[in-house]
């Protein structure tokens, strides 16, 4: 008894101790896990533009707006107006016109936001400006036809658009644009308050998600993922962190989560971050993300081409953490628990074999017929644990779950599966507002048939062809109590982008941070 409790407390302290930063796995870890990313432009607000800047003007149509606080004389205004006419620039969203040699400005960049722009359209104009100016080293001033406080929306977009991940480049590295960016308007303190109260923390959350997903799998693995999140949240009020290590999960009977990671020398983790904002006394909403830090397919090994992109198979978990960072750092009056189901899926002598039967913590049995259908396995145990330990009022899963969703929706929408109409409607609305859009796909009761096992309660992959994204969703839903409102987002088509858009540079997108942040605030 004494031995047992000693052992238990040793395991518990292991589970709760901050993860060691040192790499413990032989033959890897050549790169430190906490390297600082490249400098970004500092964002500020002022009533007057500083001298010596590249000037950006946010336009809503073809007419140059009055630009209080910006030194632009009559002759220079005439020159800009003539250039607008010559180029037929109309100020529509997504358009730009770059001018050089006007007055003393090294560059004047006009960026279209369209007529009566929404907050999102203003952000997109800001993002476009950031990307157009990414190789300019001088400071920047941004003015234009936005209201006094909407400068914060443009700044938010600028923050998302200027993201870069180049910390491992040591040769031919472009000089980072270190000059500050100043947003010029009549109410700089109002704009600054709007920015720091909402958009700056959200941009930080998106940056965390992108960083975690862009980092290679020799740097971000379950333990270092936990460490990076702890570091980001250190000292943030209202936050409490729970970490289960493999021994703790095994004790709890979490056979599907532990099973996925057992082919890897890097231990699995279940990371749970609760954030309870002031004035929120009700049950939390749970966001549960797939955190496969590398998906080789396990013994159901994937083909080599493109396997490197599977370092991003923890994008769901990364975006959950990004949303929690945003909500906590902006002190939002909400109650959420963010969960990352972290494991590395590797082939090995100790890996689980196709045909193995495992058990979740509730005792449900799974015939594991395909080791590459691992995301649904880690989510099964993660959902059961959060339901039991935190009694959430709703559960939203987010996961790079299936290749099939890419075939259905490409990179235009994430797939939404929901058993609860109200939650589905709230998610779709949050998608529209945030700019991270969802398209609903079916969950039909007939799909249960395709996932039946001869020897266990369910199998993790259907035989033959089928509606792959829906079958994956069905599997996850099998482990969630029907009475709990539940939705699942399949982000396999949107977590990575081949080309830059205004708010999302090429690479890992951080999809889901803005959406989940908006969802939590939309009650
Ligand atoms: N992580 C993959 C899904 C994926 C595919 C993400 C492409 C991003 C881009 C997932 O674990 C997987 O391998 N899914 C299988 C499921 C199948 C075995 C039932 C798939 O989609 O082929
Ligand atoms: Zn996967
Ligand atoms: Mn897989």
């Amino acid at each position: 008894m004494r031995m047992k409790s000693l052992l238990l407390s040793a395991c518990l302290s292991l589970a709760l101790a901050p993860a060691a930063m040192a790499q413990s796995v032989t033959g890897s870890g050549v790169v430190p896990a906490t390297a600082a990313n490249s400098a970004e432009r500092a964002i500020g607000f002022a009533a007057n533009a500083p001298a010596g800047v590249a000037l950006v003007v946010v336009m809503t149509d073809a007419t140059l707006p009055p630009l209080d606080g910006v030194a632009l004389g009559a002759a220079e205004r005439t020159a800009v107006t003539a250039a607008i006419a010559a180029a037929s620039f109309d100020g529509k969203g997504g358009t730009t016109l770059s001018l050089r040699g006007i007055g003393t400005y090294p560059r004047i960049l006009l960026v279209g936001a369209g007529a009566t722009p929404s907050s999102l359209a203003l952000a997109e104009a800001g993002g476009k400006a950031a990307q157009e100016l990414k190789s300019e080293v001088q400071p920047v001033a941004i003015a234009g036809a936005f209201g006094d406080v909407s400068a914060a929306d443009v700044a938010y977009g600028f923050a998302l658009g200027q993201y870069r991940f180049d910390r491992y480049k040591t040769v031919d590295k472009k000089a980072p644009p270190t000059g500050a960016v100043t947003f010029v308007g009549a109410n700089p303190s109002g704009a600054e308050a709007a920015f720091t109260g909402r958009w700056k923390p959200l941009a930080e959350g998106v940056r965390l998600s992108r960083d975690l997903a862009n980092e290679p799998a020799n740097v971000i693995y379950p333990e270092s993922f936990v460490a990076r999140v702890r570091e980001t949240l250190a000292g943030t009020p209202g936050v409490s962190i729970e970490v289960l290590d493999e021994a703790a999960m095994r004790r709890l009977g979490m056979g599907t989560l532990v099973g996925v990671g057992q082919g890897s020398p890097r231990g699995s983790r279940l990371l749970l971050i609760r954030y309870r904002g002031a004035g929120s006394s009700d049950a939390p909403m749970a966001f549960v993300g797939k955190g496969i830090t590398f998906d080789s397919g396990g013994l159901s090994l994937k083909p080599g081409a493109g396997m490197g992109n599977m370092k991003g198979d923890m994008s769901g978990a990364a975006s959950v953490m990004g949303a929690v960072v945003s909500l906590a750092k902006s002190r939002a009056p909400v109650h959420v628990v963010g969960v990352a189901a972290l494991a590395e899926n590797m082939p090995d002598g100790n890996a689980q074999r196709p045909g193995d039967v495992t058990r979740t913590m509730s005792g449900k049995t799974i015939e594991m017929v395909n080791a590459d259908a691992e995301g649904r396995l880690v989510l099964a145990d993660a959902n059961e644990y959060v339901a039991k330990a935190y009694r959430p009022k709703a559960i939203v899963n987010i996961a790079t779950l299936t290749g099939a969703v890419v075939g259905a929706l490409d990179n235009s929408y994430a797939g939404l599966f929901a058993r609860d109409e109200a939650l589905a409607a709230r998610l779709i609305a949050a998608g529209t507002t945030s700019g991270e859009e969802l398209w609903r796909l079916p969950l039909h009761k007939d799909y249960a048939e395709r996932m039946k096992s001869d020897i266990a309660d369910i199998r993790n992959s259907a035989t033959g062809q089928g509606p792959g994204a829906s079958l994956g969703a069905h599997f996850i839903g099998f482990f969630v109590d029907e009475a709990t409102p539940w939705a699942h987002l399949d982000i396999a088509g949107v977590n990575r982008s081949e080309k830059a858009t205004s708010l999302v540079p090429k690479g890992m997108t951080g999809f889901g941070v803005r959406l989940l942040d908006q969802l939590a605030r939309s009650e």
Side-chain angles (χ1 to χ4, degrees):
M1 186 59 213
R2 217 179 96 82
M3 264 301 277
K4 205 172 158 200
S5 68
L6 264 177
L7 202 77
L8 193 75
S9 66
C11 289
L12 271 178
S13 62
L14 195 82
L16 296 174
M21 297 304 299
Q23 169 60 263
S24 57
V25 180
T26 317
S28 62
V30 289
V31 183
T34 54
N37 211 344
S38 282
E40 295 184 346
R41 293 181 193 273
I43 292 175
F45 299 84
N48 294 294
V53 292
L55 176 65
V56 177
V57 182
V58 176
M59 306 278 292
T60 53
D61 54 27
T63 310
L64 189 64
L67 296 169
D68 297 341
V70 176
L72 201 65
E76 290 145 8
R77 286 189 69 93
T78 304
V80 173
T81 300
I84 288 171
S88 307
F89 177 80
D90 59 9
K92 287 221 172 69
T95 60
T96 58
L97 179 62
S98 180
L99 307 171
R100 292 179 197 270
I102 294 183
T104 54
Y105 288 97
R107 189 163 171 195
I108 296 179
L109 177 70
L110 308 184
V111 182
T116 57
S118 63
S119 165
L120 185 58
L122 287 171
E124 283 169 347
K128 193 88 188 167
Q131 300 205 10
E132 291 288 318
L133 297 172
K134 68 175 180 227
S135 42
E136 306 273 349
V137 290
Q138 70 268 40
V140 175
I142 302 190
F146 41 77
D148 284 351
V149 172
S150 307
D153 298 346
V154 185
Y156 161 59
F158 194 98
L160 294 185
Q162 75 168 332
Y163 176 82
R164 55 174 67 204
F165 188 82
D166 58 0
R167 67 174 53 157
Y168 300 123
K169 282 193 175 292
T170 67
V171 293
D172 296 336
K173 185 164 179 160
K174 288 205 186 83
T178 47
V181 52
T182 305
F183 291 83
V184 183
N187 182 7
S189 57
E192 172 134 41
F195 182 65
T196 52
R198 169 84 199 272
W199 301 123
K200 190 172 187 244
L202 182 51
E204 183 180 354
V206 173
R207 186 189 306 118
L208 172 70
S209 174
R210 290 176 181 172
D211 278 353
L212 286 168
N214 277 320
E215 286 285 12
N218 62 327
V219 173
I220 290 296
Y221 44 93
E223 184 186 10
S224 61
F225 182 107
V226 171
R228 187 74 69 91
V229 172
R230 277 190 193 280
E231 195 186 314
T232 309
L233 280 169
T236 310
V239 169
S240 54
I241 302 184
E242 181 185 8
V243 184
L244 303 181
D245 69 0
E246 235 175 86
M249 290 193 280
R250 209 173 273 120
R251 270 200 310 279
L252 287 161
M254 299 171 68
T256 54
L257 207 168
V258 170
V260 169
Q262 77 187 30
S264 168
R266 299 176 170 86
S268 304
R269 296 287 187 277
L270 187 67
L271 167 65
L272 302 102
I273 312 232
R274 183 204 290 273
Y275 165 67
R276 193 198 290 262
S280 58
S281 55
D282 59 343
M285 174 174 276
F287 299 146
V288 183
K290 169 177 174 180
I292 300 299
T293 57
F294 188 72
D295 181 13
S296 68
L299 286 180
S300 310
L301 195 64
K302 287 182 180 294
M307 199 199 273
N309 290 330
M310 288 300 134
K311 70 176 184 178
D313 209 23
M314 28 55 70
S315 293
S319 288
V320 165
M321 294 303 143
V324 172
V325 163
S326 168
L327 293 163
K329 293 207 173 187
S330 63
R331 309 198 170 199
V334 301
H335 187 189
V336 294
V337 51
V339 184
L342 299 160
E344 185 179 54
N345 189 24
M346 298 293 269
D348 179 73
N350 193 46
Q352 56 181 354
R353 293 144 295 252
D356 280 6
V357 175
T358 55
R359 213 185 279 278
T360 62
M361 66 177 279
S362 74
K364 286 186 174 147
T365 56
I366 295 97
E367 187 185 6
M368 199 288 294
V369 294
N370 190 328
D372 199 12
E374 82 297 338
R376 58 198 72 182
L377 295 173
V378 298
L379 290 173
D381 265 328
N383 280 346
E384 287 188 353
Y385 183 76
V386 77
K388 195 166 174 211
Y390 290 78
R391 302 260 160 228
K393 62 182 171 197
I395 296 178
V396 179
N397 291 127
I398 177 164
T400 47
L401 204 77
T402 66
V405 84
V406 192
L409 302 174
D410 199 30
N411 59 5
S412 314
Y413 296 100
L416 162 66
F417 304 83
R419 279 203 295 240
D420 185 273
E421 295 307 311
L423 183 58
R426 281 181 56 200
L427 274 158
I428 289 169
T432 307
T433 308
S434 67
E436 295 187 324
E437 294 190 271
L438 304 175
W439 196 270
R440 194 162 176 191
L441 293 171
L443 269 176
H444 197 282
K445 63 176 170 33
D446 290 356
Y447 301 159
E449 216 42 55
R450 313 285 302 255
M451 302 295 282
K452 280 222 161 95
S453 162
D454 291 337
I455 64 166
D457 297 336
I458 193 167
R459 48 196 282 156
N460 76 329
S461 171
T463 39
Q465 297 294 302
S470 288
L471 295 176
H474 167 80
F475 181 94
I476 300 171
F478 185 72
F479 300 90
V480 180
D481 183 348
E482 296 272 349
T484 305
W486 164 74
H488 155 63
L489 311 174
D490 193 336
I491 60 165
V494 294
N495 75 310
R496 194 173 58 86
S497 106
E498 294 283 0
K499 64 172 187 33
T501 58
S502 51
L503 297 178
V504 184
K506 183 169 182 271
M508 300 299 177
T509 62
F511 187 103
V513 177
R514 297 152 57 202
L515 173 76
L516 295 177
D517 168 89
Q518 181 64 38
L519 177 73
R521 293 170 197 269
S522 72
E523 289 189 275

